[in-house]
Amino acid sequence: MSGPSSVPDRPNILLVVLDTARADHFGPWGARARTPIFDELAARGVVVTHARSAAPWTVPSHASLFSGLRPFEHGVTGLAAYADDRVVSLAPAIGRNADRWLPAVMRDGGYRTFGISANVWITPPMGFDFGFDVFHPVGPAKIRPRGAEGVVRRRLVHRLPASIRSRVKGPVRQMQEARNGRDFGSLHAVTAIAAEARRGDAPFFGFVNIIEPHAPYLPPGGCNPLRGMRRLHGPKLVRRYLMDAHAVAYNIGAAEIPDDALATFRELYAGEIAYTDRFLGRMLETLDANGVLEDTLIVVTSDHGENLGEDHLIGHQASLDDRLLHVPLVFAGPGAPALPSDKGVFPLTGVPWVLAQAGGVHGPWEAPGPTAVSQYESGMSRVRKLQAAGDRFHITESQWSRLRRSIEQATDGATTVTVDSLGAERVDGPVDGAPTLRLAIQAARGDRLEPATQDGDIVPPEQQAEIEAHLADLGYI
């Protein structure tokens, strides 16, 4: 083999984040979805039984995965993402962690680095291209500035008057989504992986984010388990209950979602996990076809999970619970770590240390300890649909407080301590472990939580509307 395979002691490293994928849908943790490719990868690799995310949503979780720090330590949080009701670049907050940012450290250590992302948060305009030699946005992350010149496909619907077109747009889209589903960039991600794998000038460190399991749940083709009228109504239920203020209100008990809708969401979500597994199959085939699979350490995980109606919670905001924080984690290939099978928890903040060890790169990280700390600070007081929820569902002051609170949690696998900014504390498991976990929470608070300002590195105005449109499509704003 040529390229990276000629340096066996320096394996290629490919870090794959299956965005919003909760562990219990994969074979090793419960198999609520059909995942034969992942399960085969796990069978020949190292399975981490209880990997723990540092946050329940994309921005702080990815920053923890790259920095090895908890959210309140690195400061790349919801507070840094919004300024005066606008989405702003996270580049200033990321820059404060430059000396320990995984892609940059791997590049300085001799690796060729590339990033591929379908999540609009994890893009160059938001600052997440830091440390990558090249970055490929795909799917919703591929931002085309509003007003930019380009070819616009004229369809039959464009011949209709604007007033009629606006009325038929929603039903037509729902019919198309019910029939075909929607690929959110995984196919283009495979193409980008193939292009990078063909380059053989140095061992590569690659990062891939695939957002298929994220709402709206619209699994393509044979991965959609719904049939008949349920299949036709599925996209309508997703848009009605998941993608607007209704989800915000549901999470604080100010609104309800019918049981049949929740059942539909669970089936569609499992279908999305199955479609994500197909992506893994295409990815592995591509690496093999380019002669680099045997020399590549494959790391598959998730940034966070998803609530599907359990405990009156939907999506992945406003809470810390096992469904959001317990994520899949598998290492397969050269350099896979020999982790003890009896380890209680493995925080994702330990991934940079593992990858640096595998690549022979010197980094600032330390081996992960026996405790995982997770933190949530949403910045939701600045999110527009929060006000829409208040207007529609008559949210009380107590419910507002629940939405705006910060939450911290520490666990050693046996005992879990959860505290929030309202003064509430909950201890699950043996209470004798609680004092140590309280100290871990206090030690992880850091000093980097800073609100964003308009004086920082603002997203270019010509891209602002397009970025916010994609974020709205994913239910963020």
Side-chain angles (χ1 to χ4, degrees):
M1 297 182 185
S2 61
S5 61
S6 64
V7 193
D9 60 334
R10 298 267 286 176
N12 303 312
I13 298 174
L14 186 60
L15 173 59
V16 182
V17 174
L18 309 179
D19 202 296
T20 319
R22 55 191 258 184
D24 63 5
H25 279 61
F26 296 84
W29 299 279
R32 293 191 178 189
R34 188 173 182 275
T35 57
I37 303 301
F38 180 95
D39 297 350
E40 190 279 330
L41 192 69
R44 66 180 178 85
V46 176
V47 177
V48 180
T49 303
H50 199 157
R52 201 81 174 171
S53 176
W57 72 291
T58 295
V59 166
S61 178
H62 276 79
S64 290
L65 189 61
F66 285 165
S67 70
L69 298 174
R70 288 82 165 232
F72 292 2
E73 295 172 321
H74 59 61
V76 188
T77 68
L79 274 180
Y82 300 99
D84 296 338
D85 199 32
R86 290 187 60 193
V87 174
V88 300
S89 176
L90 292 156
I94 290 172
R96 291 192 286 272
N97 298 279
D99 61 339
R100 58 185 306 118
W101 202 252
L102 178 62
V105 174
M106 297 299 287
R107 183 176 63 185
D108 292 344
Y111 272 80
R112 172 172 59 87
T113 60
F114 67 86
I116 303 167
S117 173
N119 192 313
V120 67
W121 284 117
I122 313 300
T123 54
M126 298 308 297
F128 270 93
D129 59 335
F130 183 78
F132 290 108
D133 294 318
V134 293
F135 201 98
H136 303 271
V138 297
K142 194 168 185 179
I143 303 301
R144 180 175 177 268
R146 291 289 175 91
E149 295 182 0
V151 178
V152 178
R153 294 180 60 190
R154 301 295 294 181
R155 299 175 180 174
L156 181 62
V157 69
H158 291 127
R159 300 180 183 179
L160 298 174
S163 59
I164 298 178
R165 194 162 65 239
S166 64
R167 290 199 297 270
V168 302
K169 181 179 179 180
V172 169
R173 180 179 64 177
Q174 290 171 14
M175 289 183 63
Q176 292 173 335
E177 291 172 343
R179 183 180 63 183
N180 302 321
R182 179 177 170 185
D183 179 275
F184 283 86
S186 69
L187 295 177
H188 289 158
V190 172
T191 301
I193 291 170
E196 294 298 336
R198 282 193 289 268
R199 297 174 56 192
D201 49 339
F204 65 72
F205 167 76
F207 159 75
V208 184
N209 172 292
I210 293 300
I211 203 170
E212 306 299 337
H214 198 290
Y217 316 135
L218 303 169
C223 291
N224 190 331
L226 303 183
R227 296 293 180 266
M229 293 302 294
R230 291 190 71 221
R231 183 162 184 163
L232 182 63
H233 290 156
K236 181 179 180 180
L237 293 175
V238 168
R239 300 289 179 187
R240 178 177 180 182
Y241 293 116
L242 287 181
M243 308 313 298
D244 70 356
H246 201 112
V248 174
Y250 180 80
N251 280 327
I252 54 173
E256 295 298 326
I257 297 177
D259 288 343
D260 61 338
L262 293 174
T264 296
F265 299 157
R266 290 166 188 153
E267 292 180 66
L268 289 174
Y269 179 80
E272 288 284 22
I273 296 293
Y275 186 68
T276 300
D277 194 67
R278 291 189 180 184
F279 155 77
L280 289 176
R282 298 186 188 103
M283 179 193 78
L284 295 174
E285 290 173 358
T286 294
L287 294 173
D288 191 33
N290 284 279
V292 297
L293 179 59
E294 292 183 0
D295 305 301
T296 301
L297 172 60
I298 307 292
V299 185
V300 182
T301 188
S302 178
D303 55 343
H304 57 79
E306 186 81 325
N307 276 308
L308 298 168
E310 304 93 341
D311 297 330
H312 217 281
L313 294 169
I314 199 79
H316 49 271
Q317 293 182 333
S319 70
L320 291 180
D321 58 69
D322 201 58
R323 296 176 297 271
L324 297 185
L325 300 178
H326 184 195
V327 294
L329 177 58
V330 165
F331 300 89
L339 297 173
S341 59
D342 59 348
K343 181 176 176 62
V345 292
F346 182 94
L348 286 193
T349 50
V351 168
W353 179 83
V354 172
L355 300 191
Q357 295 292 308
V361 172
H362 177 71
W365 313 287
E366 298 179 353
T371 299
V373 176
S374 305
Q375 299 166 322
Y376 175 70
E377 194 293 307
S378 67
M380 285 193 71
S381 60
R382 306 178 183 205
V383 178
R384 289 166 214 160
K385 71 176 182 179
L386 196 65
Q387 187 59 50
D391 294 341
R392 284 172 53 187
F393 299 103
H394 309 292
I395 294 177
T396 66
E397 186 56 40
S398 174
Q399 291 169 332
W400 278 120
S401 297
R402 287 183 57 196
L403 283 173
R404 293 167 172 163
R405 64 180 174 164
S406 61
I407 315 172
E408 300 166 88
Q409 184 181 98
T411 183
D412 58 9
T415 302
T416 300
V417 173
T418 306
V419 299
D420 67 25
S421 56
L422 300 179
E425 177 182 281
R426 174 175 172 175
V427 178
D428 297 296
V431 296
D432 55 348
T436 299
L437 297 177
R438 292 188 186 102
L439 291 175
I441 289 173
Q442 293 173 7
R445 282 180 177 158
D447 59 0
R448 298 195 184 188
L449 278 184
E450 300 178 16
T453 68
Q454 293 288 354
D455 297 329
D457 187 5
I458 305 300
V459 174
E462 64 273 14
Q463 296 182 346
Q464 181 77 32
E466 187 71 4
I467 288 172
E468 294 192 1
H470 284 295
L471 288 174
D473 192 40
L474 297 174
Y476 278 107
I477 60 175

